[in-house]
Structures are given as C-alpha cells and as structure tokens.
Amino acid sequence: MAIFAMSLDLLIGYTGLVSLGHAAFFGLAGYLLAFAAPEFQPANLWTSLFLTMMFCAIFASVIGFITLRTSGIYFIMVTLAISQMLYFFIHDSKVAGGSDGVYIYMRPDATFFGWKPFDLENISDFYYFTLTLLVLTYCFLRALVRSVFGRVLSGIRLNESRMNSLGYPTFRYKVICFVFSGTLAGVAGYLSAAQFGVVNPDMLGWHMSGNVLVMVILGGMGTLLGPAMGAFILLLLELIFQTLPSIGGVNLSKHWHLFMGGAIVLVALFLPAGVAGLIRGKSQTRQPIDD
Amino acid sequence: MIEPILIARKLVHSFGGLTAVNNVSIDCRVGEIHALIGPNGAGKTTLINLLSGDLQVNAGNILFEGNEITGLKSYQISQRGIARSYQKSNIFLMFTAFENCRLAAQSRLPHSMHFFLNPDTCSAVNEVAHAALATAGLSGRIDTIAGALSHGERRQLEVAMTLATVPKLLLLDEPLAGMGADESTRMVELLRKLSANHSILVVEHDVDAIFAMADVLTVMVNGMVLASGSPDSIRSDPKVQSAYFGVSGV
C-alpha cells in the first residue's frame, strides 16, 4: 500500500495532477497476476512481475495520452470515468470472474534459472521481498524528483504555461510522469494480489482510488515518506477502530467508519501538510506566497 | 540595414467578435530595441502572445531567421530562440531566484528527459543561470525565495529567466510596470546593453523610458498599426499625436 501511495504522490504532490482513477493500475496488475498464474500452479515471479509492469506502463501511456489533454477538475473526472469503465467491465463480464473476483492459489515462484533465492510462500520471505521493493521504489522516486526531470515536474505543478514558454513540452513530461506512476501502482497491485491471494473488482474501483488519495493527504503531499507513512497510519487506524470495544451496549467497532472519517477530517483541518509536515516542523515548511 | 530576424506579416487574431490584432506587420532586428506602444486594449499583449505562440494566429505568417514559425507551439518557439516575459510577474514563487533561472536554463539541455541527473552537477546549466542573474543585476539575491523578492526584483528575475534560455529575440511585456524611477533607469540601461547582441521587442507605457531606449517605435490603436518609424518621426506624426499623446501634442 505504501508503494501505491508513493506512486500517486509523484502525480499529485510533484506534478499537481489529482487523479481519481489510480486504482485502475493497482487492480489491473492484480488481475494480470491472476491471469498469468495457471490454476493451482504458481506463476514465475520475475516474468509475471516484469510483464505486469510492462503492461501497466503501456496502459498508463495510452490513458495518460488521453486524459492529460484535460486539466484540473476535468482531469479528475476523466480519470475517474476511465477507472469506472474498467471496474464495470470486470464486474459485469465473465472474463475475470465478475463481481466475485479471481483466486490466486499460489504465490509467485521466485525461481530464476533454476535458482530459488527465497520462497514467497514463507511469510517472512514475502515480507522482506515487499520491503525491498518498497525501499527500491523510495530510492527510485527520490532520485527522480531530485533530478532535472523532477524539477521540471515541480515547475509544471506551479505554473504550467510558464514552463511552456520556457521551452518545455509539458504534455510529454506529464505523460511520462503518468507512466512512471501507473507502473509503480502496478507493482503495488501485484504484491497486494500475491499477498491476499484474491483479486476482485473493488481493487480498481473509485473507492480504492479515494483510499489511496486519503493516504497521500494524510501523510503529506509532495514528500515521499509522508504517503508511505500515510498508508501505514490509515491501515493502522482502520485496525484500531475496527477492534474498539463495545461501551454501554453500543458496539463501537461496528461504526468504525465514523471514527475513521472523523480522524481524516481532523488531519485535514489541523495538519494540512500531513504527518510529514508535522515531523518536518513549522520552521522549514515553505508556505506558498500569494502574489 | 541588417536583415530582420523576425518578420511578421498581416497577423490577425480575434476573440469572438473582437478583432484584437488586425493586419499587423512588424519587423525586429538584432541590435535594435523595437518598442510597441498604444493605449490600453490596443492589442499589444495579444501581438506578443501571437509571436510567442501562446495564442495562434487566425491569419498571417511569422518568419524567424527565415523559417516559418506560424502555428508552432509556445515551447517549440522558445526552442527556436524567442523568449518572452510577462506583464504580470510570472515566476515560480516557491523557488529561489537561482532555481527559477536554472529551470529556464536546463530547458536548453540537448535532450529534455534526464530522469536521474542531479541538477547541481550540471555545471554548464548552473553557469548560464548565474550569468543570467548577474546580467539582470540579481547576483546578491541568488538564494532568496522568489516570493520574498521586491516587485522590482521580480521584474528583474523575469528578465533573467528569459535570458537563461539563451534567446536571440526577447519579447518583453511591460518590463518597467510598477517600477520606481531608479529601478526603471537600471532596467533601461540593462535593455540597452542587451540590445547589442539581441533583438528586443518591448511593450511599454512609460513614454520617457521608451524615447530613452527605443530605436524603432510602432504605435498600435484598436488592433491596427497606426504608425511605425524612428522615435523622432513618431513624435512628430500628427495621427499619433491625436490618438495617443492627446491633441495638444507632446
């Protein structure tokens, strides 16, 4: 989930593109793994992960090419519409198990030319594998946002027309950013599907997109560790509120959504820079200055 | 006389029913400051927008260094060597003055996608950015966040950013707007200095400044060119006197 949140932050926090369809890549990757795996047999980790990433990259470039012609609220609507199209396609057609989803019976097999460095069926191996990918994603994104390319993305967020007149083909930059972001969301979806052993249409619906958006906001936009923390915090809060004891005959855990919503409202009101903003402290936060 | 670097012929642009630029032709030469004047709403900024590619012409054509640039996107025109500044300071307020210029300078890197190149290590880009700041007189304010610069300094930064893209032609939209007398004088000196190896087209309202720096003047009224020529001929033109300076003349 943290990888997923960081991938969206590249889009929102650095380039200023708010997408409500990011779960499309997440869910799509899950389904790709499900299709790649023969029934009752594991898929090869390396080939299926590679294929999933490639497919998500191609899908993202096509979607990006269409949606990035719009901006602002229209971009939100178009990304939402496209992910909902995918959602209903999977939900209402028989190709992928309809609303029940598809089960993945075995976790991917890490055998690499006959050499098996670790076994994902082993829970701690799977944990370390995911952690490695998380760290790799973090390092990759960190290098990316600090590069010349990353500076251009920030410039586009702040003032796209000025970037154009400075000689940057901003559309091309946005599409490439969208592809990076979609591909990483695909990695996250792949891991999630492998972990839970099931994919269903909810993975690509707008609910999921909204969830990851909340993670990014909760953690702090425009920071990389923020959204990663946001993912942990959101899942943790969910867990805490779901296990609340019943007090005076009222089962509080049944109404966990209420507490969850309240917590998010509080963060939005009092921590506009997210949890990362809290840690960084007020001295370093650069307040946007009005002209 | 030197060949013009920019030749625009019979440009037309309408916003709905309003023809903001109507049959305007204009030439710009290296070594020359060409000033564009006219009352508010005369179409001066629209003309700049047409030349920079921010707006597309409805009719007419634009040649830059002998090549057709009509219909190109603004980033393509920028890459050809035409830079523009904006009437209202259009800078990245959250970045430092240096980062603003570096962003402008790195647009000239031979290919545009450098995913992992740390900008601190591109010495060529950093040098161009430093040079542009120094030329614009902002050397002392390199690490200041642009939002904390004074109005006049922001105008200077605006010019520095255009310089950082190493242009041949500068389109400057009211670079003196809102500046104090001292700042104006310095900006006029800067533009005079730049005109030695650049071509400059400048929109300006400050009549004193215009006559202090311009080599050629074009007067626009209601989207059309009323007169064009040397400052002296414009000053004595009766049409210009009645339309722009008032009937009594200057």
Side-chain angles (χ1 to χ4, degrees):
Chain A
M1 286 320 272
I3 296 178
F4 189 26
M6 282 200 287
S7 75
L8 183 64
D9 191 42
L10 176 66
L11 217 51
I12 299 180
Y14 289 95
T15 319
L17 296 165
V18 179
S19 163
L20 256 184
H22 212 53
F25 301 106
F26 184 72
L28 189 72
Y31 274 98
L32 286 170
L33 172 61
F35 283 127
E39 214 165 338
F40 308 118
Q41 268 179 36
N44 184 286
L45 173 70
W46 310 111
T47 49
S48 65
L49 184 60
F50 178 73
L51 282 177
T52 304
M53 286 174 73
M54 288 309 289
F55 195 88
C56 278
I58 293 165
F59 185 64
S61 57
V62 174
I63 301 292
F65 197 75
I66 300 166
T67 57
L68 288 168
R69 300 194 170 270
T70 62
S71 61
I73 192 91
Y74 302 102
F75 179 72
I76 300 178
M77 296 316 289
V78 176
T79 51
L80 178 62
I82 288 186
S83 77
Q84 286 305 90
M85 270 158 52
L86 198 66
Y87 172 79
F88 282 109
F89 174 71
I90 303 272
H91 189 274
D92 295 336
S93 71
K94 292 216 163 51
V95 278
S99 59
D100 292 336
V102 186
Y103 287 94
I104 301 160
Y105 295 97
M106 308 275 270
R107 288 197 180 146
D109 176 17
T111 309
F112 187 65
F113 291 119
W115 175 57
K116 194 169 183 179
F118 49 82
D119 183 3
L120 293 184
E121 290 293 342
N122 180 332
I123 191 83
S124 71
D125 279 11
F126 188 80
Y127 172 77
Y128 284 117
F129 178 68
T130 309
L131 190 68
T132 310
L133 281 186
L134 175 63
V135 172
L136 280 179
T137 307
Y138 174 73
C139 293
F140 171 80
L141 286 176
R142 194 178 142 99
L144 191 67
V145 297
R146 291 187 174 187
S147 71
V148 171
F149 180 75
R151 302 306 300 179
V152 176
L153 294 185
S154 292
I156 292 175
R157 182 192 66 209
L158 294 172
N159 192 337
E160 187 175 349
S161 69
R162 181 71 209 224
M163 290 305 282
N164 257 313
S165 67
L166 286 178
Y168 290 104
T170 55
F171 178 70
R172 219 176 291 161
Y173 277 87
K174 287 194 290 181
V175 171
I176 287 174
C177 171
F178 198 79
V179 170
F180 276 131
S181 176
T183 309
L184 289 174
V187 173
Y190 178 93
L191 290 172
S192 172
Q195 184 189 356
F196 296 113
V198 59
V199 281
N200 58 46
D202 284 342
M203 268 178 81
L204 23 86
W206 68 273
H207 204 101
M208 190 57 139
S209 296
N211 235 340
V212 68
L213 194 59
V214 168
M215 289 175 190
V216 173
I217 294 169
L218 202 65
M221 289 176 277
T223 63
L224 285 174
L225 280 180
M229 286 189 296
F232 286 119
I233 293 166
L234 193 78
L235 294 179
L236 202 66
L237 283 179
E238 240 179 65
L239 218 63
I240 292 171
F241 290 138
Q242 277 171 352
T243 52
L244 282 179
S246 48
I247 298 168
V250 185
N251 186 355
L252 290 178
S253 62
K254 226 166 92 185
H255 304 290
W256 69 275
H257 276 116
L258 189 68
F259 298 108
M260 199 70 214
I264 291 164
V265 170
L266 287 179
V267 169
L269 278 178
F270 296 110
L271 294 175
V275 178
L278 190 71
I279 292 168
R280 204 171 2 163
K282 278 186 179 142
S283 56
Q284 280 183 19
T285 356
R286 284 183 190 170
Q287 293 293 331
I289 301 147
D290 288 316
D291 193 7
Chain B
M1 200 166 195
I2 325 162
E3 279 297 299
I5 187 166
L6 179 100
I7 306 170
R9 287 289 169 267
K10 296 190 171 172
L11 302 185
V12 178
H13 187 85
S14 317
F15 297 106
L18 175 80
T19 307
V21 169
N22 195 355
N23 255 331
V24 171
S25 299
I26 200 161
D27 292 345
C28 295
R29 291 177 173 80
V30 173
E32 191 178 87
I33 296 184
H34 193 141
L36 195 56
I37 62 173
N40 287 326
K44 305 182 297 292
T45 298
T46 308
L47 179 61
I48 295 279
N49 282 332
L50 292 177
L51 296 177
S52 71
D54 287 84
L55 291 173
Q56 296 296 327
V57 293
N58 298 135
N61 66 323
I62 310 167
L63 290 176
F64 184 66
E65 296 186 306
N67 300 312
E68 186 83 36
I69 60 164
T70 324
L72 291 187
K73 300 260 170 49
S74 57
Y75 71 85
Q76 293 166 318
I77 289 181
S78 163
Q79 293 291 356
R80 296 287 179 100
I82 302 182
R84 73 163 297 182
S85 76
Y86 289 80
Q87 193 172 354
K88 189 170 175 290
S89 290
N90 199 352
I91 54 184
F92 301 98
L93 293 174
M94 285 160 73
F95 292 175
T96 65
F98 176 67
E99 284 171 322
N100 267 284
C101 284
R102 186 171 65 188
L103 201 52
Q106 77 186 27
S107 69
R108 302 300 119 158
L109 287 172
H111 58 101
S112 54
M113 305 292 173
H114 292 270
F115 297 128
F116 299 109
L117 183 63
N118 187 323
D120 294 334
T121 60
C122 310
S123 53
V125 167
N126 291 334
E127 268 166 36
V128 172
H130 277 299
L133 283 167
T135 312
L138 281 174
S139 287
R141 307 287 271 162
I142 283 174
D143 293 321
T144 311
I145 301 285
L149 293 174
S150 74
H151 177 80
E153 287 168 333
R154 290 185 195 187
R155 303 304 295 166
Q156 284 168 278
L157 179 56
E158 182 88 20
V159 174
M161 284 171 75
T162 59
L163 290 178
T165 63
V166 203
K168 293 164 192 147
L169 169 65
L170 292 164
L171 306 171
L172 305 175
D173 199 351
E174 300 199 27
L176 305 179
M179 275 193 165
D182 285 359
E183 289 171 326
S184 286
T185 317
R186 260 184 288 146
M187 182 63 89
V188 168
E189 277 168 23
L190 168 64
L191 296 185
R192 283 258 42 117
K193 204 168 74 188
L194 289 175
S195 69
N197 45 11
H198 294 82
S199 171
I200 300 179
L201 178 64
V202 56
V203 171
E204 198 40 71
H205 277 300
D206 183 336
V207 176
D208 293 336
I210 289 166
F211 282 105
M213 65 180 170
D215 303 299
V216 186
L217 276 169
T218 293
V219 185
M220 277 181 78
V221 174
N222 289 330
M224 283 181 282
V225 173
L226 187 70
S228 189
S230 70
D232 288 337
S233 70
I234 294 293
R235 208 193 297 259
S236 55
D237 190 318
K239 280 186 299 184
V240 177
Q241 285 180 1
S242 66
Y244 191 68
F245 299 117
V247 191
S248 58
V250 181

PDB file of all heavy atoms in Angstrom, chain A residues 253-278:
ATOM      1  N   SER A 253     -17.067  -0.735  17.447  1.00  0.00           N
ATOM      2  CA  SER A 253     -16.299  -1.197  16.291  1.00  0.00           C
ATOM      3  C   SER A 253     -17.171  -1.318  15.044  1.00  0.00           C
ATOM      4  O   SER A 253     -16.685  -1.250  13.930  1.00  0.00           O
ATOM      5  CB  SER A 253     -15.640  -2.544  16.604  1.00  0.00           C
ATOM      6  OG  SER A 253     -16.644  -3.509  16.869  1.00  0.00           O
ATOM      7  N   LYS A 254     -18.480  -1.473  15.286  1.00  0.00           N
ATOM      8  CA  LYS A 254     -19.380  -1.571  14.135  1.00  0.00           C
ATOM      9  C   LYS A 254     -19.442  -0.239  13.376  1.00  0.00           C
ATOM     10  O   LYS A 254     -19.710  -0.202  12.182  1.00  0.00           O
ATOM     11  CB  LYS A 254     -20.785  -1.960  14.625  1.00  0.00           C
ATOM     12  CG  LYS A 254     -21.424  -3.053  13.800  1.00  0.00           C
ATOM     13  CD  LYS A 254     -22.648  -3.634  14.503  1.00  0.00           C
ATOM     14  CE  LYS A 254     -23.924  -2.932  14.103  1.00  0.00           C
ATOM     15  NZ  LYS A 254     -25.079  -3.440  14.879  1.00  0.00           N
ATOM     16  N   HIS A 255     -19.209   0.831  14.097  1.00  0.00           N
ATOM     17  CA  HIS A 255     -19.283   2.159  13.473  1.00  0.00           C
ATOM     18  C   HIS A 255     -17.902   2.729  13.201  1.00  0.00           C
ATOM     19  O   HIS A 255     -17.687   3.926  13.280  1.00  0.00           O
ATOM     20  CB  HIS A 255     -20.072   3.105  14.391  1.00  0.00           C
ATOM     21  CG  HIS A 255     -21.435   2.597  14.711  1.00  0.00           C
ATOM     22  ND1 HIS A 255     -22.442   2.529  13.779  1.00  0.00           N
ATOM     23  CD2 HIS A 255     -21.951   2.097  15.864  1.00  0.00           C
ATOM     24  CE1 HIS A 255     -23.525   2.029  14.330  1.00  0.00           C
ATOM     25  NE2 HIS A 255     -23.259   1.743  15.604  1.00  0.00           N
ATOM     26  N   TRP A 256     -16.963   1.838  12.892  1.00  0.00           N
ATOM     27  CA  TRP A 256     -15.577   2.307  12.715  1.00  0.00           C
ATOM     28  C   TRP A 256     -15.430   3.328  11.617  1.00  0.00           C
ATOM     29  O   TRP A 256     -14.557   4.188  11.681  1.00  0.00           O
ATOM     30  CB  TRP A 256     -14.641   1.127  12.508  1.00  0.00           C
ATOM     31  CG  TRP A 256     -14.822   0.401  11.202  1.00  0.00           C
ATOM     32  CD1 TRP A 256     -15.704  -0.585  10.942  1.00  0.00           C
ATOM     33  CD2 TRP A 256     -14.084   0.628  10.007  1.00  0.00           C
ATOM     34  NE1 TRP A 256     -15.582  -0.999   9.641  1.00  0.00           N
ATOM     35  CE2 TRP A 256     -14.593  -0.271   9.048  1.00  0.00           C
ATOM     36  CE3 TRP A 256     -13.043   1.496   9.651  1.00  0.00           C
ATOM     37  CZ2 TRP A 256     -14.101  -0.324   7.746  1.00  0.00           C
ATOM     38  CZ3 TRP A 256     -12.555   1.444   8.366  1.00  0.00           C
ATOM     39  CH2 TRP A 256     -13.086   0.534   7.423  1.00  0.00           C
ATOM     40  N   HIS A 257     -16.273   3.280  10.624  1.00  0.00           N
ATOM     41  CA  HIS A 257     -16.182   4.256   9.535  1.00  0.00           C
ATOM     42  C   HIS A 257     -16.340   5.684  10.043  1.00  0.00           C
ATOM     43  O   HIS A 257     -15.704   6.608   9.554  1.00  0.00           O
ATOM     44  CB  HIS A 257     -17.263   3.984   8.475  1.00  0.00           C
ATOM     45  CG  HIS A 257     -16.861   2.944   7.500  1.00  0.00           C
ATOM     46  ND1 HIS A 257     -17.520   1.737   7.381  1.00  0.00           N
ATOM     47  CD2 HIS A 257     -15.860   2.916   6.601  1.00  0.00           C
ATOM     48  CE1 HIS A 257     -16.932   1.014   6.445  1.00  0.00           C
ATOM     49  NE2 HIS A 257     -15.930   1.704   5.952  1.00  0.00           N
ATOM     50  N   LEU A 258     -17.193   5.830  11.042  1.00  0.00           N
ATOM     51  CA  LEU A 258     -17.461   7.142  11.626  1.00  0.00           C
ATOM     52  C   LEU A 258     -16.193   7.730  12.232  1.00  0.00           C
ATOM     53  O   LEU A 258     -15.833   8.884  11.988  1.00  0.00           O
ATOM     54  CB  LEU A 258     -18.544   6.978  12.699  1.00  0.00           C
ATOM     55  CG  LEU A 258     -19.138   8.246  13.284  1.00  0.00           C
ATOM     56  CD1 LEU A 258     -19.940   8.962  12.216  1.00  0.00           C
ATOM     57  CD2 LEU A 258     -20.031   7.893  14.470  1.00  0.00           C
ATOM     58  N   PHE A 259     -15.476   6.899  13.012  1.00  0.00           N
ATOM     59  CA  PHE A 259     -14.244   7.377  13.650  1.00  0.00           C
ATOM     60  C   PHE A 259     -13.176   7.663  12.606  1.00  0.00           C
ATOM     61  O   PHE A 259     -12.430   8.630  12.687  1.00  0.00           O
ATOM     62  CB  PHE A 259     -13.742   6.344  14.658  1.00  0.00           C
ATOM     63  CG  PHE A 259     -14.714   6.105  15.764  1.00  0.00           C
ATOM     64  CD1 PHE A 259     -15.429   4.916  15.845  1.00  0.00           C
ATOM     65  CD2 PHE A 259     -14.937   7.088  16.719  1.00  0.00           C
ATOM     66  CE1 PHE A 259     -16.341   4.704  16.856  1.00  0.00           C
ATOM     67  CE2 PHE A 259     -15.847   6.877  17.740  1.00  0.00           C
ATOM     68  CZ  PHE A 259     -16.554   5.685  17.803  1.00  0.00           C
ATOM     69  N   MET A 260     -13.136   6.784  11.615  1.00  0.00           N
ATOM     70  CA  MET A 260     -12.163   6.933  10.537  1.00  0.00           C
ATOM     71  C   MET A 260     -12.356   8.294   9.852  1.00  0.00           C
ATOM     72  O   MET A 260     -11.404   9.049   9.660  1.00  0.00           O
ATOM     73  CB  MET A 260     -12.448   5.803   9.533  1.00  0.00           C
ATOM     74  CG  MET A 260     -11.339   5.520   8.618  1.00  0.00           C
ATOM     75  SD  MET A 260     -10.007   4.761   9.545  1.00  0.00           S
ATOM     76  CE  MET A 260      -8.699   5.475   8.612  1.00  0.00           C
ATOM     77  N   GLY A 261     -13.599   8.560   9.496  1.00  0.00           N
ATOM     78  CA  GLY A 261     -13.917   9.824   8.833  1.00  0.00           C
ATOM     79  C   GLY A 261     -13.539  11.006   9.701  1.00  0.00           C
ATOM     80  O   GLY A 261     -12.927  11.969   9.242  1.00  0.00           O
ATOM     81  N   GLY A 262     -13.870  10.891  11.003  1.00  0.00           N
ATOM     82  CA  GLY A 262     -13.543  11.973  11.930  1.00  0.00           C
ATOM     83  C   GLY A 262     -12.049  12.224  11.983  1.00  0.00           C
ATOM     84  O   GLY A 262     -11.592  13.374  11.931  1.00  0.00           O
ATOM     85  N   ALA A 263     -11.276  11.150  12.040  1.00  0.00           N
ATOM     86  CA  ALA A 263      -9.824  11.287  12.118  1.00  0.00           C
ATOM     87  C   ALA A 263      -9.294  11.991  10.881  1.00  0.00           C
ATOM     88  O   ALA A 263      -8.426  12.870  10.954  1.00  0.00           O
ATOM     89  CB  ALA A 263      -9.180   9.911  12.267  1.00  0.00           C
ATOM     90  N   ILE A 264      -9.834  11.634   9.709  1.00  0.00           N
ATOM     91  CA  ILE A 264      -9.349  12.237   8.460  1.00  0.00           C
ATOM     92  C   ILE A 264      -9.694  13.726   8.413  1.00  0.00           C
ATOM     93  O   ILE A 264      -8.878  14.559   8.011  1.00  0.00           O
ATOM     94  CB  ILE A 264      -9.927  11.481   7.246  1.00  0.00           C
ATOM     95  CG1 ILE A 264      -9.304  10.084   7.191  1.00  0.00           C
ATOM     96  CG2 ILE A 264      -9.656  12.230   5.950  1.00  0.00           C
ATOM     97  CD1 ILE A 264     -10.031   9.117   6.306  1.00  0.00           C
ATOM     98  N   VAL A 265     -10.894  14.055   8.878  1.00  0.00           N
ATOM     99  CA  VAL A 265     -11.283  15.467   8.910  1.00  0.00           C
ATOM    100  C   VAL A 265     -10.347  16.255   9.817  1.00  0.00           C
ATOM    101  O   VAL A 265      -9.876  17.350   9.465  1.00  0.00           O
ATOM    102  CB  VAL A 265     -12.745  15.610   9.392  1.00  0.00           C
ATOM    103  CG1 VAL A 265     -13.074  17.076   9.672  1.00  0.00           C
ATOM    104  CG2 VAL A 265     -13.708  15.046   8.365  1.00  0.00           C
ATOM    105  N   LEU A 266     -10.012  15.674  10.972  1.00  0.00           N
ATOM    106  CA  LEU A 266      -9.116  16.358  11.904  1.00  0.00           C
ATOM    107  C   LEU A 266      -7.748  16.602  11.276  1.00  0.00           C
ATOM    108  O   LEU A 266      -7.172  17.682  11.404  1.00  0.00           O
ATOM    109  CB  LEU A 266      -8.962  15.544  13.196  1.00  0.00           C
ATOM    110  CG  LEU A 266     -10.184  15.563  14.121  1.00  0.00           C
ATOM    111  CD1 LEU A 266      -9.925  14.700  15.351  1.00  0.00           C
ATOM    112  CD2 LEU A 266     -10.511  16.996  14.533  1.00  0.00           C
ATOM    113  N   VAL A 267      -7.224  15.587  10.587  1.00  0.00           N
ATOM    114  CA  VAL A 267      -5.915  15.750   9.947  1.00  0.00           C
ATOM    115  C   VAL A 267      -5.976  16.854   8.892  1.00  0.00           C
ATOM    116  O   VAL A 267      -5.118  17.734   8.825  1.00  0.00           O
ATOM    117  CB  VAL A 267      -5.455  14.420   9.316  1.00  0.00           C
ATOM    118  CG1 VAL A 267      -4.234  14.658   8.432  1.00  0.00           C
ATOM    119  CG2 VAL A 267      -5.118  13.417  10.397  1.00  0.00           C
ATOM    120  N   ALA A 268      -7.037  16.829   8.079  1.00  0.00           N
ATOM    121  CA  ALA A 268      -7.157  17.826   7.016  1.00  0.00           C
ATOM    122  C   ALA A 268      -7.242  19.229   7.599  1.00  0.00           C
ATOM    123  O   ALA A 268      -6.697  20.177   7.046  1.00  0.00           O
ATOM    124  CB  ALA A 268      -8.384  17.525   6.163  1.00  0.00           C
ATOM    125  N   LEU A 269      -7.910  19.349   8.759  1.00  0.00           N
ATOM    126  CA  LEU A 269      -8.078  20.677   9.356  1.00  0.00           C
ATOM    127  C   LEU A 269      -6.808  21.169  10.027  1.00  0.00           C
ATOM    128  O   LEU A 269      -6.409  22.317   9.872  1.00  0.00           O
ATOM    129  CB  LEU A 269      -9.206  20.640  10.397  1.00  0.00           C
ATOM    130  CG  LEU A 269     -10.623  20.753   9.868  1.00  0.00           C
ATOM    131  CD1 LEU A 269     -11.611  20.643  11.004  1.00  0.00           C
ATOM    132  CD2 LEU A 269     -10.808  22.082   9.143  1.00  0.00           C
ATOM    133  N   PHE A 270      -6.158  20.277  10.784  1.00  0.00           N
ATOM    134  CA  PHE A 270      -5.063  20.753  11.632  1.00  0.00           C
ATOM    135  C   PHE A 270      -3.684  20.427  11.099  1.00  0.00           C
ATOM    136  O   PHE A 270      -2.704  21.003  11.533  1.00  0.00           O
ATOM    137  CB  PHE A 270      -5.231  20.192  13.052  1.00  0.00           C
ATOM    138  CG  PHE A 270      -6.478  20.689  13.713  1.00  0.00           C
ATOM    139  CD1 PHE A 270      -7.549  19.854  13.952  1.00  0.00           C
ATOM    140  CD2 PHE A 270      -6.583  22.037  14.049  1.00  0.00           C
ATOM    141  CE1 PHE A 270      -8.712  20.333  14.547  1.00  0.00           C
ATOM    142  CE2 PHE A 270      -7.732  22.513  14.635  1.00  0.00           C
ATOM    143  CZ  PHE A 270      -8.808  21.663  14.877  1.00  0.00           C
ATOM    144  N   LEU A 271      -3.593  19.509  10.167  1.00  0.00           N
ATOM    145  CA  LEU A 271      -2.286  19.164   9.601  1.00  0.00           C
ATOM    146  C   LEU A 271      -2.352  19.226   8.078  1.00  0.00           C
ATOM    147  O   LEU A 271      -2.250  18.202   7.414  1.00  0.00           O
ATOM    148  CB  LEU A 271      -1.872  17.753  10.019  1.00  0.00           C
ATOM    149  CG  LEU A 271      -1.578  17.471  11.477  1.00  0.00           C
ATOM    150  CD1 LEU A 271      -1.321  15.975  11.656  1.00  0.00           C
ATOM    151  CD2 LEU A 271      -0.390  18.263  11.949  1.00  0.00           C
ATOM    152  N   PRO A 272      -2.524  20.417   7.514  1.00  0.00           N
ATOM    153  CA  PRO A 272      -2.676  20.463   6.052  1.00  0.00           C
ATOM    154  C   PRO A 272      -1.452  19.909   5.327  1.00  0.00           C
ATOM    155  O   PRO A 272      -1.559  19.474   4.190  1.00  0.00           O
ATOM    156  CB  PRO A 272      -2.881  21.942   5.750  1.00  0.00           C
ATOM    157  CG  PRO A 272      -2.490  22.674   6.977  1.00  0.00           C
ATOM    158  CD  PRO A 272      -2.611  21.738   8.121  1.00  0.00           C
ATOM    159  N   ALA A 273      -0.287  19.909   5.983  1.00  0.00           N
ATOM    160  CA  ALA A 273       0.893  19.346   5.317  1.00  0.00           C
ATOM    161  C   ALA A 273       1.058  17.870   5.654  1.00  0.00           C
ATOM    162  O   ALA A 273       2.065  17.270   5.322  1.00  0.00           O
ATOM    163  CB  ALA A 273       2.141  20.129   5.706  1.00  0.00           C
ATOM    164  N   GLY A 274       0.057  17.273   6.313  1.00  0.00           N
ATOM    165  CA  GLY A 274       0.101  15.857   6.604  1.00  0.00           C
ATOM    166  C   GLY A 274       1.036  15.540   7.761  1.00  0.00           C
ATOM    167  O   GLY A 274       1.602  16.422   8.401  1.00  0.00           O
ATOM    168  N   VAL A 275       1.185  14.243   8.012  1.00  0.00           N
ATOM    169  CA  VAL A 275       2.025  13.816   9.116  1.00  0.00           C
ATOM    170  C   VAL A 275       3.478  14.204   8.867  1.00  0.00           C
ATOM    171  O   VAL A 275       4.203  14.592   9.779  1.00  0.00           O
ATOM    172  CB  VAL A 275       1.885  12.289   9.306  1.00  0.00           C
ATOM    173  CG1 VAL A 275       2.783  11.815  10.425  1.00  0.00           C
ATOM    174  CG2 VAL A 275       0.440  11.934   9.606  1.00  0.00           C
ATOM    175  N   ALA A 276       3.882  14.141   7.591  1.00  0.00           N
ATOM    176  CA  ALA A 276       5.253  14.510   7.253  1.00  0.00           C
ATOM    177  C   ALA A 276       5.512  15.974   7.596  1.00  0.00           C
ATOM    178  O   ALA A 276       6.584  16.336   8.056  1.00  0.00           O
ATOM    179  CB  ALA A 276       5.523  14.262   5.774  1.00  0.00           C
ATOM    180  N   GLY A 277       4.515  16.805   7.407  1.00  0.00           N
ATOM    181  CA  GLY A 277       4.647  18.215   7.734  1.00  0.00           C
ATOM    182  C   GLY A 277       4.835  18.421   9.222  1.00  0.00           C
ATOM    183  O   GLY A 277       5.566  19.307   9.662  1.00  0.00           O
ATOM    184  N   LEU A 278       4.210  17.556  10.009  1.00  0.00           N
ATOM    185  CA  LEU A 278       4.325  17.632  11.461  1.00  0.00           C
ATOM    186  C   LEU A 278       5.758  17.329  11.889  1.00  0.00           C
ATOM    187  O   LEU A 278       6.338  17.994  12.738  1.00  0.00           O
ATOM    188  CB  LEU A 278       3.372  16.613  12.086  1.00  0.00           C
ATOM    189  CG  LEU A 278       3.167  16.680  13.586  1.00  0.00           C
ATOM    190  CD1 LEU A 278       2.374  17.914  13.931  1.00  0.00           C
ATOM    191  CD2 LEU A 278       2.433  15.429  14.055  1.00  0.00           C
TER     192      LEU A 278
END
